[in-house]
Amino acid sequence: MLELARRFHLQSTNTIKGRFLVITVFLLLVGGLLAVLPLAAFVYDDREQETYKHLNEVLDMQQQAMDNWLNERSEEAAVMASLPQSRSSLYKQIQHFTDRDNQVFDNMSVLNMDGQIIYATNDPKAIDTVNAAHREYFQAALAGESFTSSAIRRRSDQEPVIVFSAPLFNEQGVTDGVLAGTVTLEAIASIVNKTSYGETGRFYLTDETGIVLSRRTEADPYSLAEAIIFRLAENGESIDRSYKSAAGENVIGQYRWLHGSQWLLIGEVATKEINGAFWRTIWMMGAILLFIFILAYCVINLLVQQIMFPIHRLLEATVIIRLGNYKHRISEGAAAKSLDEFKALNGAYNQMAQSLEQEFSLRKQAEKNLRQANEMLTRLSLSDSLTGIGNRRYFDDVLGLTWEEAITQKKPMSLLLLDIDFFKKYNDRYGHDAGDKALRRVSETVDMIAKETGTVAARYGGEELAVILPPGVPVESFGLAEKIRCAVENLALLHEDAKDKVITVSIGGATLIPNLGDDPALLIRKADEALYYSKRKGRARTTVYESITP
């Protein structure tokens, strides 16, 4: 750091350009601060007041929406319960209503005069098992009043719900039960969370104890009982300053009591969003200062151009050479306008660039030859010399990579092992040269099908071949195996010692979902067991590991 400071000091005091730059930056900074600070303070205060105003307006609209929603649900329950009708007709009406508008009421129940649930649309476990005689909503409905509860836990499944109750009347207009409709907290939350404010604005609905009724994600707090705004709301105090939210973030907030002061609606917005206008003003002024700085820099450059331009051109050319463009030259026309000293430097640079270009060209050709040789060696090391397809090393490498990929993706992977039937007898009858040709024909056929289907074929050993399927396609393994088996059979390579008088293959396949720590050898073993099964059952057939029966 000291060395950098020393170099900057030398640069800024020993050159004309440096001195002009330092003076310009100093004047811009002083003038910018004097202009920006008073304006920024005014913008910040105004923005904060606007935020309080808009947040209150949004809370008023949210409060009205919640009141209307509660009244509508209460009226729906009361209207349905007030119509004199038989119980069977009532049940049909309730079922029809919940089927038509099932996104509002999670369940609607009919309770008798003893508080026993005798009918429920979506909660059959509660019938004859749940008694709500001591519930406040039941007592209020029996007294002839429609009632909306706070959040309570439903006894059948302990789910927190809001209950809308109303007295039921029989055909003579006499109260003989209670109609209760339940709404889950998710429905309440959907009403609250429809409203948004800016990018960081959040709205919470809590009960009188601070339990949050409108959680939208697991990250939302369960309770705001210890939050500053909740304690202020309990005491009826106004909020005119920022504070720490339950998440520990600086926010501005307001609140409204709802539902007879049983629910509390809270709106909060992060102060960092409020500060956005302030920082936008700062950035705007900074952009203006930057523009002035660039303009001043251009003027300075014009003043010192005749001295600095040749040096800059030479430095630029040096950087271009350093980046590898050895064809670059400084034009003779540009050098002709320079002083004699710079003409000599330009000539020396062009000679150096020419020498470097020649050396680089020779090196690049040597690297190309070496790369081609390495690629050829790699292909030879991974290819089977007889069949031309991947060898056992290639098979092991691809199997290992595919196995790791399947573990990462948590998907199944499949492997097919193929064995030419009675290949030893084929060699004994027709000779090893004919056997090699037959093995190449079979390998080429398998490799062609593998490439068409996006799989990988390799020679596993002797007359055994393998096909590796990518993760996630276990259901295709049997179909691919049969396609390969039929393609080999259709080659119609004569084999007098085979059952069908042509060369055939037996195929065994296996599909596994590998876990971390498993070895690919497990998949090979399962595929080999399936191959053995195919041979034992008569050869010229396909067996997938899952289909093996004892």
Side-chain angles (χ1 to χ4, degrees):
M1 289 297 293
L2 292 176
E3 179 64 20
L4 290 176
R6 188 184 66 84
R7 291 183 180 181
F8 174 77
H9 175 72
L10 292 176
Q11 180 69 20
S12 62
T13 57
N14 294 341
T15 63
I16 297 175
K17 187 175 181 180
R19 291 187 180 183
F20 270 85
L21 182 60
V22 169
I23 294 173
T24 302
V25 170
F26 176 76
L27 293 176
L28 287 175
L29 287 176
V30 173
L33 289 175
L34 293 176
V36 168
L37 291 179
L39 179 60
F42 171 78
V43 170
Y44 182 83
D45 183 68
D46 182 69
R47 180 60 178 171
E48 189 175 67
Q49 296 304 318
E50 283 293 316
T51 301
Y52 277 116
K53 178 182 176 182
H54 291 163
L55 190 58
N56 278 311
E57 291 175 353
V58 173
L59 281 174
D60 289 339
M61 290 188 294
Q62 182 78 299
Q63 180 182 19
Q64 184 64 40
M66 285 298 300
D67 288 340
N68 291 340
W69 187 85
L70 290 171
N71 291 335
E72 288 173 2
R73 304 291 81 76
S74 182
E75 289 175 4
E76 287 173 349
V79 169
M80 184 172 295
S82 64
L83 298 176
Q85 51 191 318
S86 65
R87 284 295 167 85
S88 61
S89 175
L90 174 62
Y91 296 161
K92 291 179 180 180
Q93 290 286 349
I94 293 174
Q95 191 64 53
H96 174 72
F97 175 75
T98 54
D99 291 341
R100 176 178 59 84
D101 198 10
N102 58 5
Q103 291 184 346
V104 178
F105 285 101
D106 175 65
N107 180 61
M108 295 197 79
S109 304
V110 175
L111 295 82
N112 60 23
M113 297 295 288
D114 296 327
Q116 197 78 23
I117 295 179
I118 58 176
Y119 176 78
T121 57
N122 295 319
D123 193 10
K125 294 189 299 184
I127 299 176
D128 295 330
T129 62
V130 175
N131 190 291
H134 299 294
R135 292 284 196 182
E136 186 178 6
Y137 69 83
F138 179 79
Q139 298 293 336
L142 283 187
E145 299 178 0
S146 295
F147 185 81
T148 302
S149 74
S150 184
I152 62 175
R153 289 198 176 273
R154 187 161 48 195
R155 293 183 178 177
S156 59
D157 58 7
Q158 296 301 305
E159 177 77 14
V161 294
I162 308 299
V163 180
F164 296 85
S165 64
L168 275 175
F169 302 96
N170 58 22
E171 294 177 335
Q172 289 75 36
V174 178
T175 302
D176 68 344
V178 171
L179 176 67
T182 59
V183 176
T184 62
L185 295 189
E186 285 79 3
I188 302 294
S190 66
I191 302 299
V192 176
N193 294 330
K194 283 181 180 178
T195 304
S196 61
Y197 183 87
E199 297 180 358
T200 61
R202 296 297 307 272
F203 294 88
Y204 302 98
L205 183 68
T206 75
D207 62 12
E208 66 274 12
T209 66
I211 300 300
V212 179
L213 307 179
S214 59
R215 297 179 71 243
R216 72 172 75 181
T217 66
E218 291 297 325
D220 288 344
Y222 287 94
S223 173
L224 296 179
E226 300 300 324
I228 294 174
I229 191 171
F230 186 81
R231 295 201 296 268
L232 292 174
E234 283 186 316
N235 298 327
E237 298 180 25
S238 60
I239 305 173
D240 56 1
R241 65 185 185 278
S242 63
Y243 59 90
K244 289 283 188 181
S245 69
E249 186 178 22
N250 284 325
V251 296
I252 284 178
Q254 294 289 289
Y255 66 86
R256 294 289 186 279
W257 283 105
L258 307 175
H259 191 25
S261 297
Q262 295 185 52
W263 293 351
L264 180 65
L265 180 63
I266 297 173
E268 294 179 336
V269 60
T271 55
K272 64 181 180 183
E273 181 174 346
I274 303 170
N275 295 337
F278 170 77
W279 289 112
R280 283 193 296 272
T281 302
I282 295 296
W283 284 112
M284 182 180 66
M285 295 301 296
I288 295 173
L289 292 175
L290 179 62
F291 173 76
I292 296 174
F293 173 78
I294 293 174
L295 183 61
Y297 180 80
C298 293
V299 172
I300 294 172
N301 272 340
L302 289 175
L303 294 176
V304 297
Q305 180 176 358
Q306 292 186 353
I307 299 176
M308 299 299 298
F309 181 71
I311 297 176
H312 285 163
R313 185 176 59 230
L314 188 58
L315 288 174
E316 181 183 22
T318 304
V319 171
I320 292 174
I321 284 289
R322 181 172 61 83
L323 294 176
N325 184 4
Y326 301 109
K327 296 182 179 295
H328 182 265
R329 302 290 186 275
I330 297 177
S331 66
E332 294 182 359
K337 300 178 183 179
S338 303
L339 299 175
D340 292 341
E341 291 82 0
F342 290 113
K343 290 180 182 178
L345 283 173
N346 292 339
Y349 168 84
N350 287 337
Q351 292 178 2
M352 178 192 67
Q354 183 176 2
S355 300
L356 288 174
E357 182 183 4
Q358 293 174 353
E359 181 182 348
F360 176 74
S361 179
L362 294 174
R363 187 182 65 182
K364 190 173 181 180
Q365 183 62 39
E367 290 177 350
K368 180 180 178 181
N369 295 339
L370 179 61
R371 184 170 61 254
Q372 290 176 346
N374 287 335
E375 289 176 355
M376 182 177 294
L377 289 174
T378 300
R379 286 195 299 271
L380 291 174
S381 67
L382 296 177
S383 299
D384 182 63
S385 59
L386 175 62
T387 62
I389 67 174
N391 58 17
R392 178 58 184 269
R393 176 185 172 187
Y394 179 72
F395 167 79
D396 291 338
D397 291 345
V398 174
L399 181 66
L401 292 174
T402 308
W403 185 266
E404 294 297 328
E405 183 180 353
I407 293 175
T408 302
Q409 299 179 5
K410 297 182 179 179
K411 291 182 178 180
M413 69 166 292
S414 300
L415 173 66
L416 303 178
L417 291 181
L418 299 78
D419 188 76
I420 300 177
D421 295 327
F422 305 109
F423 193 66
K424 184 177 183 305
K425 293 182 179 180
Y426 187 90
N427 281 330
D428 293 342
R429 175 182 284 268
Y430 300 104
H432 287 283
D433 288 343
D436 290 345
K437 292 179 181 178
L439 181 57
R440 278 196 296 271
R441 289 286 306 278
V442 173
S443 299
E444 290 170 356
T445 301
V446 173
D447 188 52
M448 179 184 65
I449 296 176
K451 290 178 179 177
E452 291 175 353
T453 56
T455 56
V456 176
R459 185 180 180 186
Y460 184 67
E463 66 271 20
E464 282 194 81
L465 306 177
V467 177
I468 303 172
L469 281 71
V473 289
V475 295
E476 299 177 5
S477 58
F478 184 81
L480 176 61
E482 280 295 285
K483 183 177 180 180
I484 293 173
R485 188 186 66 78
C486 293
V488 172
E489 189 172 329
N490 291 336
L491 292 176
L493 300 176
L494 181 64
H495 189 352
E496 291 291 344
D497 294 323
K499 181 175 62 176
D500 296 324
K501 304 303 179 181
V502 295
I503 287 181
T504 59
V505 293
S506 298
I507 302 177
T511 298
L512 292 176
I513 300 178
N515 297 314
L516 191 64
D518 289 346
D519 193 282
L522 177 63
L523 183 62
I524 297 175
R525 187 170 68 253
K526 299 301 182 183
D528 193 56
E529 291 178 9
L531 176 60
Y532 176 76
Y533 186 88
S534 292
K535 291 180 179 181
R536 189 161 55 87
K537 289 297 183 178
R539 305 179 186 263
R541 61 178 290 160
T542 296
T543 302
V544 176
Y545 180 75
E546 289 85 351
S547 66
I548 297 177
T549 55

